[in-house]
Amino acid sequence: MIRTKNLITIALALFSLNKAVAQQTEPVKAMQQKSFTQKVRGRVLDAESKQPLAGVIIAAKSNNQLNAVTDGDGYFVISNVPVGRQSFMFQYMGYEPAVASEVLVTSGKELELNMSMTESLQKMDEVTISATKESDRALNEFATISSRSISVEETKRYAASFADPARMAQNFMGVSNGGDMFNGIIVRGNSPKNVLWRLEGIEIPNPNHFSGLGTTGGAISMLNANVLGTSDFYTGAFPAEMGNALSGVFDMKFRNGNTEKREHTFQLSTLGTELASEGPFKKGGKSSYLLNYRYSTLALLDNIVSFGGVLPKYQDASIKLNFPTAKAGTFSLWGLGGYNSAYKDPVKDSSKWTDDDPNFVLKADNMMGVAGISHTYFTGKNSYLKTVVSASYEKEKELVDTLNPAQDYRTVHVANESFVNNAYRVSVLYNTKLNNKNTVRFGAIAQQMGYKLNNNFFDEHSNEWKSFLNSKGDAQYYQAYAQWKHRMSENLTFVSGLHGSYFALNGSYSIEPRVAATYTSGKNTYSLATGLHSKPEHLSTYMFQSKKQGQADTYPNKDLGLLKAYHAVVGYERQLPWNMRFKTEVYYQYLYNIPVEKDSTGGFSIINALDIYSLFNTQQLVSDGTGQNYGIDFSLERSFSNSYYLLATASLYKSTYTDYPGDEYNTTFNRGYQVNVLGGKEFSIGRSGRKILGLNGKVLYSGGMRESPIDINSSVQAGETVYVPKQYFTRQVPAYFRTDLGVYYKINNKRVTHSIQLEVQNVTNRQNFYYSYFDREAGAVKTVNQLGILPNLSYRIDF
């Protein structure tokens, strides 16, 4: 029920809104008669306690008569909102006002608009409508710096993002891409291996198709924008609740399905065919479902794009079932799964075979699945307990045959590999808002991890099958944390926390204090954060077996400690005219306890590894390596306003590591600089605003990756690749440059929205450098370029 004081608040707020939003209603009514309308619904919560706020006033800026008041559970519905871009103001006595700017209302689907509001530290005797700047601040109230939120509309808007959150994040400051066909991200000079993926508040396996073992990226994301809600992305100095990461964190969330009506989406594109559906289980109830399925259609691009002779296929599905109850809290069942396969059949002409494109018939299959149940229960007026239980499974299977030209190119089976990962995880979080100045949060995470690896090959010399790697193992990993947010004043916020990790396999542990502060003065914001972070390597690294004739097997890497890092970041932000915002961050990261090969001539460090395959050719590892990443990031951004947006980011950085003898080298990720410039413009077609034309563009330019120079003479003599000793990653490959374009056209009809979109990655078809290799037949070093142009044409209907 809405209390009497809230009714007074509503009356005052509506009076203020009439003064703040000056607009004639007759022209608006005339326009509504010519255009289609839609419902805007959502929920308003207290930012710290997550309690619903009853009596919040929500009104459209364009017309104050389009308004609503949240009910006792914080829900609201505004009917008859004209399609097109709309902005909404949120006002509540005792809370800082909030604004949702330029959100897109379409006729095909109701708009879900959720908002978290922060309680004011000042006593408010009246309701005041003031201009509030739209912010990209992370949803996590304990995040202060090197973090931002990712909206679903942004993932769809940015040119060549393909509705992929990882590809979208490549546009942010401090982040560079891993290549044309890889959405793994390099955060401030760190390996993509060190990025953590979370979904619904708990760690998940790599949610990408065509990914390598131990990586956090791939070619195409399994996470579909149709089911995602606004999520968070971090590039360093994480809050205390974030563990098992050294470089970045994706904290993704599924949205809830529509609780009032059933809605559907169908999309056909060159990347995949999609079906999505959502709605209530029964009319008038609060429970809902949300489903999405996608099947690849990459074969349509076979005559346009070269995938290196590989024909990729994939499919994935997502689900969330949400069940609010009157007294037992809210239960959610959710899941994400994907399957992909690749088949490569070389040409039956031995004269065209090379070391890079050999006579291998490759059959690869990968699958990933994760499912969980979440429960949120309010233990008091300002406290809640959230529990998440999940299980995940990954499997990679690869079969390798060769073609024998002496027997009419008959296939001969020569190798096979199977790799299985599984994990069971439990996360418990308790959050309490003590008052409008103090919020504390405690939590613990436990996980049981296991793997099984089999790698076999046919030895032509002995004419028998042999095992290259054959191992399995399991271990437990525990984490706990506590954090406190203290708002000293309206302008000054202090956050402190402690994170602890324990790896049961060898008893290694880490205690990690973290602190952060933010101060706002007028249009200026100053921030700083520092802390320790850690993560274990993949289990197979610790369980590597050393096999010697006549001796018992040993595990030389079993006592490796946790990989650790110290982060320090200082930031400055300035609000500029024309809705522009300038931001810069200076950072330093010191990585230590890094596994390196115990070999004075090897130069191997796990810092440079993209996946765990590179570890299989090493011998004993020791935790004696270090690394450093330091630099400065810049960002100039105009959020979508008045039908256009702009974003320009730049980074200058250096990334180095030390090997076992203590010599310092560049890391393979030390590009030195990264520049991104992107923007877009929307045009309303016709007087009614039912049709929208959008144009988006992006330019990426960065220094090339680093690689070790190949000693040609030694390679010719040895018949295999030999690198120049003590010159690891001294060669910088050519700079990476790419231009992406996107255009879309939306048509709003009665209860239906049609969308046609064309996205083109690398529209100039620039052949960016990929890697170099030693060709034994030619006795020379050759290079391989990246994918080149990648178009995606799609048609979508929402109804």
Side-chain angles (χ1 to χ4, degrees):
M1 297 296 292
I2 301 176
R3 298 180 179 178
T4 303
K5 67 175 183 179
N6 289 331
L7 293 175
I8 298 174
T9 300
I10 294 169
L12 290 171
L14 287 173
F15 178 74
S16 300
L17 282 167
N18 277 301
K19 294 192 299 180
V21 185
Q23 180 169 334
Q24 297 294 326
T25 60
E26 290 304 321
V28 172
K29 290 180 179 179
M31 180 64 70
Q32 289 181 11
Q33 292 174 359
K34 298 179 181 180
S35 64
F36 295 112
T37 63
Q38 184 58 275
K39 286 183 179 180
V40 175
R41 59 181 177 82
R43 197 181 193 195
V44 184
L45 304 176
D46 180 283
E48 279 77 26
S49 70
K50 306 305 178 189
Q51 286 280 354
L53 297 179
V56 178
I57 304 296
I58 305 97
K61 277 189 174 183
S62 61
N63 178 11
N64 67 291
Q65 291 188 352
L66 295 173
N67 61 73
V69 180
T70 56
D71 62 17
D73 293 322
Y75 291 101
F76 71 91
V77 176
I78 304 178
S79 301
N80 300 318
V81 179
V83 298
R85 295 286 174 182
Q86 301 286 349
S87 297
F88 296 89
M89 296 181 293
F90 293 73
Q91 192 72 23
Y92 190 52
M93 179 75 77
Y95 279 72
E96 298 174 2
V99 172
S101 298
E102 302 284 346
V103 293
L104 182 60
V105 180
T106 64
S107 59
K109 276 195 171 186
E110 294 181 354
L111 175 65
E112 182 181 19
L113 188 62
N114 299 316
M115 181 64 67
S116 293
M117 300 184 69
T118 301
E119 188 174 0
S120 175
L121 296 183
Q122 297 179 354
K123 184 178 180 181
M124 301 181 67
D125 295 326
E126 62 178 16
V127 177
T128 303
I129 301 296
S130 58
T132 305
K133 299 290 183 181
E134 185 180 18
S135 175
D136 60 358
R137 283 193 58 188
L139 298 180
N140 189 327
E141 58 273 21
F142 289 88
T144 58
I145 196 172
S146 297
S147 60
R148 64 172 294 157
S149 62
I150 298 177
S151 71
V152 175
E153 188 175 345
E154 284 176 315
T155 63
K156 296 179 179 179
R157 179 191 300 148
Y158 289 175
S161 289
F162 303 130
D164 181 344
R167 291 183 185 274
M168 178 196 161
Q170 294 173 2
N171 301 297
F172 299 149
M173 66 179 192
V175 181
S176 59
N177 73 318
D180 287 353
M181 209 47 194
F182 183 64
N183 68 2
I185 58 172
I186 300 167
V187 181
R188 292 175 171 171
N190 286 283
S191 169
K193 281 177 73 274
N194 294 329
V195 173
L196 171 70
W197 283 94
R198 286 168 38 116
L199 181 61
E200 294 294 295
I202 200 165
E203 180 181 346
I204 63 169
N206 178 8
N208 291 287
H209 291 293
F210 308 107
S211 58
L213 293 173
T215 65
T216 58
I220 299 170
S221 177
M222 298 178 192
L223 289 166
N224 194 289
N226 289 330
V227 297
L228 288 177
T230 301
S231 305
D232 289 344
F233 173 64
Y234 304 82
T235 57
F238 325 120
E241 65 189 272
M242 303 295 176
N244 199 20
L246 298 183
S247 64
V249 177
F250 281 98
D251 193 12
M252 312 304 294
K253 297 176 177 62
F254 283 153
R255 63 182 179 87
N256 294 325
N258 194 325
T259 58
E260 296 187 359
K261 61 177 293 189
R262 291 183 172 88
E263 298 176 327
H264 315 283
T265 296
F266 171 77
Q267 178 169 306
L268 176 64
S269 76
T270 48
L271 291 183
T273 301
E274 302 178 27
L275 293 170
S277 181
E278 62 180 289
F281 283 101
K282 65 177 182 179
K283 189 175 181 179
K286 291 297 183 182
S287 298
S288 65
Y289 67 87
L290 178 63
L291 308 170
N292 190 88
Y293 173 75
R294 177 174 57 174
Y295 185 82
S296 73
T297 47
L298 281 172
L300 296 174
L301 295 176
D302 194 40
N303 294 325
I304 302 175
V305 180
S306 172
F307 294 106
V310 177
L311 181 61
K313 298 180 180 180
Y314 67 89
Q315 55 185 312
D316 51 59
S318 305
I319 182 172
K320 184 176 182 182
L321 311 178
N322 195 57
F323 304 96
T325 66
K327 296 182 179 181
T330 299
F331 294 87
S332 295
L333 300 174
W334 52 270
L336 171 69
Y339 170 81
N340 58 81
S341 63
Y343 179 79
K344 180 178 181 180
D345 191 2
V347 295
K348 295 180 179 181
D349 184 351
S350 58
S351 65
K352 296 182 180 181
W353 297 341
T354 66
D355 282 1
D356 182 63
D357 189 14
N359 62 326
F360 288 157
V361 179
L362 175 66
K363 302 175 184 178
D365 297 278
N366 299 277
M367 65 178 68
M368 189 282 284
V370 58
I373 179 170
S374 305
H375 177 233
T376 302
Y377 179 75
F378 287 94
T379 60
K381 180 180 178 181
N382 292 312
S383 303
Y384 68 91
L385 182 70
K386 182 176 181 179
T387 304
V388 185
V389 179
S390 72
S392 64
Y393 178 85
E394 299 173 275
K395 183 176 182 179
E396 178 175 311
K397 184 179 180 181
E398 188 173 292
L399 302 176
V400 181
D401 299 336
T402 61
L403 298 180
N404 189 341
Q407 299 182 4
D408 196 25
Y409 295 98
R410 183 176 66 88
T411 59
V412 179
H413 186 49
V414 295
N416 58 70
E417 178 184 88
S418 175
F419 201 123
V420 174
N421 287 295
N422 59 72
Y424 303 93
R425 297 180 174 95
V426 178
S427 171
V428 179
L429 176 154
Y430 178 75
N431 187 97
T432 182
K433 178 182 176 182
L434 302 175
N435 49 50
N436 59 0
K437 287 190 174 184
N438 297 283
T439 302
V440 294
R441 180 176 294 176
F442 307 92
I445 305 166
Q447 53 184 308
Q448 167 74 29
M449 305 173 293
Y451 85 99
K452 185 176 182 180
L453 170 63
N454 292 292
N455 187 303
N456 308 295
F457 68 97
F458 184 76
D459 188 346
E460 294 180 351
H461 299 291
S462 62
N463 198 34
E464 61 180 356
W465 281 89
K466 292 185 177 180
S467 175
F468 174 62
L469 286 172
N470 192 342
S471 66
K472 63 180 180 179
D474 57 75
Q476 299 78 41
Y477 182 48
Y478 303 99
Q479 302 172 71
Y481 59 88
Q483 49 192 9
W484 168 48
K485 176 182 178 182
H486 177 58
R487 300 174 64 202
M488 297 181 179
S489 67
E490 290 280 353
N491 300 325
L492 180 61
T493 300
F494 175 78
V495 177
S496 63
L498 187 68
H499 186 100
S501 301
Y502 178 75
F503 189 43
L505 181 69
N506 57 22
S508 56
Y509 65 92
S510 180
I511 304 297
E512 304 157 9
R514 305 177 191 179
V515 295
T518 300
Y519 176 72
T520 301
S521 177
K523 297 182 179 181
N524 303 293
T525 300
Y526 308 87
S527 304
L528 61 89
T530 185
L532 299 177
H533 308 270
S534 68
K535 71 181 294 288
E537 255 303 320
H538 188 273
L539 272 180
S540 61
T541 305
Y542 300 93
M543 302 301 294
F544 173 79
Q545 292 175 277
S546 177
K547 298 177 180 291
K548 294 183 180 180
Q549 191 72 25
Q551 297 182 17
D553 294 347
T554 60
Y555 298 88
N557 299 337
K558 191 171 183 178
D559 292 329
L560 290 173
L562 298 174
L563 286 67
K564 299 182 179 181
Y566 166 72
H567 289 193
V569 188
V570 177
Y572 170 72
E573 183 175 338
R574 168 82 179 181
Q575 297 289 340
L576 302 174
W578 307 296
N579 291 327
M580 301 287 285
R581 182 170 64 253
F582 171 77
K583 183 186 294 185
T584 183
E585 293 183 0
V586 179
Y587 64 88
Y588 174 77
Q589 300 176 352
Y590 178 70
L591 287 71
Y592 59 104
N593 237 37
I594 304 300
V596 292
E597 188 172 12
K598 193 176 181 181
D599 182 352
S600 59
T601 62
F604 173 84
S605 171
I606 212 166
I607 277 181
N608 298 301
L610 282 168
D611 51 43
I612 65 174
Y613 284 116
S614 55
L615 305 177
F616 296 162
N617 294 319
T618 64
Q619 301 303 313
Q620 181 178 1
L621 300 177
V622 290
S623 299
D624 292 345
T626 64
Q628 290 187 95
N629 302 311
Y630 53 90
I632 183 169
D633 300 329
F634 303 93
S635 173
L636 183 64
E637 182 173 8
R638 173 191 168 93
S639 298
F640 195 97
S641 178
N642 297 327
S643 300
Y644 75 96
Y645 71 94
L646 294 169
L647 175 62
T649 65
S651 299
L652 299 173
Y653 66 95
K654 189 173 181 64
S655 176
T656 63
Y657 79 99
T658 61
D659 61 1
Y660 177 68
D663 297 324
E664 187 176 46
Y665 302 96
N666 295 306
T667 70
T668 187
F669 311 107
N670 186 25
R671 285 179 149 166
Y673 62 91
Q674 172 79 33
V675 179
N676 303 315
V677 180
L678 57 154
K681 170 72 175 176
E682 275 189 355
F683 302 89
S684 181
I685 309 298
R687 295 182 59 186
S688 65
R690 293 192 304 110
K691 302 176 182 179
I692 297 175
L693 175 67
L695 300 175
N696 298 296
K698 178 170 61 179
V699 175
L700 293 80
Y701 182 61
S702 66
M705 299 274 279
R706 304 270 180 167
E707 66 176 23
S708 301
I710 297 173
D711 188 329
I712 298 179
N713 292 331
S714 298
S715 298
V716 171
Q717 294 176 4
E720 61 182 9
T721 303
V722 178
Y723 295 101
V724 179
K726 295 296 182 179
Q727 292 190 28
Y728 310 117
F729 305 106
T730 55
R731 178 177 180 266
Q732 186 167 22
V733 306
Y736 183 92
F737 179 80
R738 199 179 84 202
T739 303
D740 303 334
L741 291 178
V743 57
Y744 59 87
Y745 186 59
K746 291 182 180 291
I747 304 173
N748 288 290
N749 291 326
K750 188 175 182 180
R751 299 175 183 171
V752 177
T753 299
H754 303 271
S755 302
I756 302 173
Q757 184 171 14
L758 174 64
E759 294 181 278
V760 183
Q761 177 180 287
N762 199 354
V763 67
T764 63
N765 198 28
R766 175 185 169 91
Q767 300 299 298
N768 286 297
F769 181 93
Y770 191 18
Y771 64 88
S772 60
Y773 70 98
F774 175 71
D775 190 317
R776 290 176 296 179
E777 294 294 330
V781 174
K782 295 186 177 181
T783 61
V784 177
N785 291 327
Q786 298 202 43
L787 182 68
I789 190 170
L790 177 63
N792 181 42
L793 177 64
S794 64
Y795 165 74
R796 174 187 175 110
I797 180 171
D798 296 306
F799 59 98

